[in-house]
Amino acid sequence: MKKTKNYQQSIIVKERKPEAYNALVRQIPDWWSTIDGTSNKVGEVFKVSFGAESYWTFKVISLDEHNEVVWKCIESHQDHNLKGIDEEWINTKLYWSISESSGKTKIEFLHDGLLSTGVCYEVCSNGWDFYILDSLRNYLEKGKGKPSGK
């Protein structure tokens, strides 16, 4: 039996926890992509769009001020032309955990349901790697992310 693994990633930045938390709940367009809706209140629904063809809709499940953010994917439409890719995202959860030590902040990300054996894993993990390791890190450390379309 093949062992499956959820996608995980983490970064350590010089910014404090409140700034990291704000980037995840209020400043998504500055490091990820355009959003429609509100992402800073539990129960709210927001859509992250990548042009006219690709988007994901999330529901905010949990916000633990400066410690954790949890979203659930409730809709997916991707233009990667991979059969089953949208269905793989539905009902997955995205966990952002934030901790601070020695003046640095660690952001740990878990995409629960994005499995290493899935159709989307290669394409989606590469996307997450870019947006977390490059764009989010640059946004927090240098004030300038690399969001889609900008």
Side-chain angles (χ1 to χ4, degrees):
M1 183 170 188
K2 196 171 190 179
K3 196 173 186 179
T4 60
K5 179 182 151 201
N6 289 298
Y7 176 82
Q8 296 181 55
Q9 192 56 265
S10 64
I11 56 173
I12 296 174
V13 295
K14 297 172 192 166
E15 277 295 349
R16 310 269 313 176
K17 280 175 68 173
E19 286 78 12
Y21 179 83
N22 281 330
L24 297 173
V25 300
R26 293 183 181 89
Q27 298 157 336
I28 294 169
D30 295 324
W31 62 270
W32 193 11
S33 195
T34 304
I35 73 165
D36 296 313
T38 305
S39 56
N40 63 349
K41 291 183 182 170
V42 172
E44 293 290 334
V45 173
F46 67 100
K47 180 178 175 181
V48 179
S49 300
F50 291 79
E53 297 298 318
S54 288
Y55 63 85
W56 293 266
T57 304
F58 299 97
K59 181 175 184 177
V60 179
I61 300 300
S62 174
L63 296 173
D64 179 0
E65 188 81 15
H66 308 305
N67 295 307
E68 185 178 66
V69 174
V70 181
W71 304 327
K72 179 179 180 180
C73 183
I74 59 173
E75 185 180 12
S76 173
H77 184 274
Q78 301 177 52
D79 66 354
H80 298 300
N81 297 316
L82 296 171
K83 185 175 170 70
I85 195 169
D86 292 318
E87 294 79 5
E88 280 186 357
W89 273 71
I90 304 299
N91 294 319
T92 63
K93 289 187 179 174
L94 286 64
Y95 294 87
W96 301 90
S97 300
I98 308 164
S99 58
E100 195 170 46
S101 179
S102 303
K104 293 187 178 184
T105 298
K106 183 175 187 177
I107 300 171
E108 295 177 278
F109 176 74
L110 167 67
H111 188 157
D112 186 18
L114 179 58
L115 301 174
S116 59
T117 55
V119 173
C120 185
Y121 193 81
E122 185 177 348
V123 170
C124 296
S125 64
N126 286 336
W128 278 130
D129 284 349
F130 171 76
Y131 286 109
I132 295 168
L133 298 174
D134 195 350
S135 188
L136 180 58
R137 179 192 310 272
N138 276 314
Y139 178 71
L140 289 169
E141 291 190 337
K142 299 175 182 173
K144 184 149 178 65
K146 299 175 182 178
S148 176
K150 291 185 182 179

